[in-house]
Amino acid sequence: MQTFIPDTVMLETEWVLRHAYGFSSVAIYNAFTKLCGLPNVALPIPYRMMMALQWYSDGMDFADALPLAASQ
């Protein structure tokens, strides 16, 4: 069984982890890349999420990286 995770869920999860729980961007990046790599996780467009996560790890805000990746 696949678990579908929309981009908006990832976006909101990043915000909650960073603002409400105080996770660092490195910790969030590590968790997201592991989550997205699970065999039972389905993303709308996996390449788009990986691009956004790469930009996020380079220092871009995730809320900017994800829409930018979607515009490519």
Side-chain angles (χ1 to χ4, degrees):
M1 180 166 66
Q2 293 272 312
T3 300
F4 180 74
I5 305 176
D7 290 346
T8 53
V9 170
M10 296 291 284
L11 185 63
E12 292 299 321
T13 301
E14 187 275 338
W15 189 90
V16 169
L17 290 174
R18 188 166 34 95
H19 288 285
Y21 293 102
F23 281 75
S24 70
S25 59
V26 172
I28 295 169
Y29 169 81
N30 289 335
F32 278 11
T33 54
K34 288 176 185 174
L35 175 67
C36 293
L38 293 173
N40 63 327
V41 168
L43 301 169
I45 302 174
Y47 177 75
R48 178 173 62 200
M49 184 59 65
M50 294 303 107
M51 185 183 305
L53 286 170
Q54 180 58 53
W55 290 335
Y56 181 60
S57 74
D58 292 340
M60 184 181 283
D61 189 81
F62 193 66
D64 294 330
L66 193 54
L68 180 60
S71 74
Q72 301 299 307

